[in-house]
Amino acid sequence: MLQIENLHASVEDKDILKGIDLQIGAGEVHAIMGPNGSGKSTLASVIAGNEDYEMTEGNLLLEGEDISELDPEERAHHGVFLSFQYPVEIPGVSVTNFVKTAINETRKAQGMEEMPAAEMLKKIREKAALLEIDRKFLSRSLNEGFSGGEKKRNEIFQMAMLEPKLAILDETDSGLDIDALRIVANGVNKLRSENNAVLVITHYQRLLDYIVPDKVHVLMDGKIVKTGDKDLALKLEEKGYDWIKEEVKTA
Ligand code: ADP
Ligand code: MG
């Protein structure tokens, strides 16, 4: 699904990502962990096409197609979804209307008609039921006065509705409380399928108790320095990152 080779990226002429190789297959969930400032959010931004970041070298393919030259909207239309650590408030636009617009923009970009209202409504009902989201929530103004948990619920609902091929959830700085953690984990687990791939960025090992990743990668100073399974996350929780630094030094 996602294929990253020797990816280098910089921001304001400072090299941040220094040769990332990462392949995520269809149906897989991978986690990226790493100390603050190691480049985790930068990686998410570069995949999503955030224009503050410049990809200076390497390959970035989604389903075999080079997406590195596409702008963020085009990548979204190709099925890349990035959760927002700091979502914007849009007074007067409801959770549902926002997502309807997003879906129809994608369809338009793909040369399709708008989704018929009845089909849209059915889909909203199905996804809301799946994620246990009540109707009152769907009519609220986007992010206005949302709690941390409600912001997460909104993101996960957007993800469920848009059915991205690649969902990137950057949870690093969002201070997930237990409620928000469950919402994210529950959403990801219910939406995992053979048609999508998920990249979860977190420094909360706890999240990975609920979302069991196929692989865990440790990012340090712009490079993936170690890859393992879910047990690696447990080891990091217990021992921190210093032992990996030592390993890298002596390698
Ligand atoms: P992480 O998410 O792992 O904590 P980031 O990707 O946010 O790390 O940051 C990696 C490095 O890139 C840091 O040194 C940070 O200061 C720098 N950086 C990230 N975004 C920007 C930006 N927009 N402008 C300047 N420096 C940035
Ligand atoms: Mg970050």
Side-chain angles (χ1 to χ4, degrees):
M1 188 67 74
L2 178 72
Q3 205 174 339
I4 295 177
E5 292 158 355
N6 190 32
L7 177 88
H8 289 250
S10 63
V11 57
E12 292 168 356
D13 293 325
K14 189 170 121 195
D15 290 331
I16 309 290
L17 301 181
K18 303 170 182 171
I20 304 270
D21 290 290
L22 177 66
Q23 326 267 340
I24 311 184
E28 293 181 353
V29 175
H30 289 212
I32 296 217
M33 303 183 77
N36 276 333
S38 56
K40 302 183 298 297
S41 297
T42 299
L43 178 61
S45 298
V46 170
I47 298 171
N50 181 329
E51 277 143 12
D52 294 343
Y53 299 83
E54 194 193 351
M55 186 174 145
T56 50
E57 211 181 315
N59 295 314
L60 173 60
L61 309 170
L62 185 72
E63 289 191 307
E65 188 183 344
D66 179 4
I67 58 165
S68 63
E69 299 294 324
L70 304 180
D71 67 32
E73 289 72 26
E74 291 169 324
R75 294 187 202 196
H77 298 153
H78 276 71
V80 177
F81 174 91
L82 173 60
S83 72
F84 304 106
Q85 285 190 38
Y86 305 103
V88 287
E89 293 187 10
I90 314 184
V93 173
S94 68
V95 168
T96 332
N97 276 327
F98 185 79
V99 87
K100 275 184 195 167
T101 306
I103 285 177
N104 281 327
E105 274 176 5
T106 297
R107 288 173 69 105
K108 206 160 121 194
Q110 293 165 348
M112 291 165 75
E113 301 273 300
E114 286 200 351
M115 185 181 281
E119 191 184 328
M120 183 74 81
L121 192 63
K122 184 163 168 264
K123 187 164 176 155
I124 290 169
R125 288 207 174 125
E126 273 171 19
K127 300 296 183 184
L130 180 73
L131 301 171
E132 295 165 60
I133 291 172
D134 68 39
R135 239 182 256 168
K136 233 193 266 157
F137 180 75
L138 297 177
S139 57
R140 283 181 61 185
S141 270
L142 195 72
N143 287 318
E144 212 179 1
F146 279 14
S147 67
E150 287 166 341
K151 284 180 183 161
K152 288 292 140 191
R153 189 159 279 142
N154 173 50
E155 272 178 23
I156 294 295
F157 177 65
Q158 283 181 28
M159 184 174 119
M161 289 293 293
L162 291 166
E163 300 179 326
K165 288 180 191 149
L166 174 70
I168 306 168
L169 303 169
D170 188 350
E171 307 300 344
T172 310
D173 304 306
S174 52
L176 290 186
D177 58 22
I178 193 78
D179 183 31
L181 198 98
R182 282 214 195 92
I183 292 163
V184 170
N186 184 36
V188 169
N189 290 333
K190 285 189 170 153
L191 300 169
R192 276 180 98 144
S193 84
E194 285 306 312
N195 303 316
N196 61 35
V198 181
L199 182 60
V200 183
I201 297 173
T202 183
H203 62 197
Y204 293 85
Q205 184 278 323
R206 250 186 348 171
L207 181 62
L208 305 180
D209 284 339
Y210 299 99
I211 304 173
V212 179
D214 297 291
K215 281 187 180 163
V216 174
H217 309 277
V218 180
L219 189 66
M220 271 184 174
D221 192 24
K223 284 187 185 148
I224 291 176
V225 294
K226 200 168 183 68
T227 293
D229 61 12
K230 62 177 172 33
D231 296 336
L232 177 57
L234 289 170
K235 195 166 171 190
L236 292 169
E237 174 82 355
E238 188 194 332
K239 294 181 151 185
Y241 291 101
D242 286 347
W243 64 278
I244 294 185
K245 276 184 207 156
E246 290 306 316
E247 259 189 27
V248 172
K249 244 187 259 166
T250 53

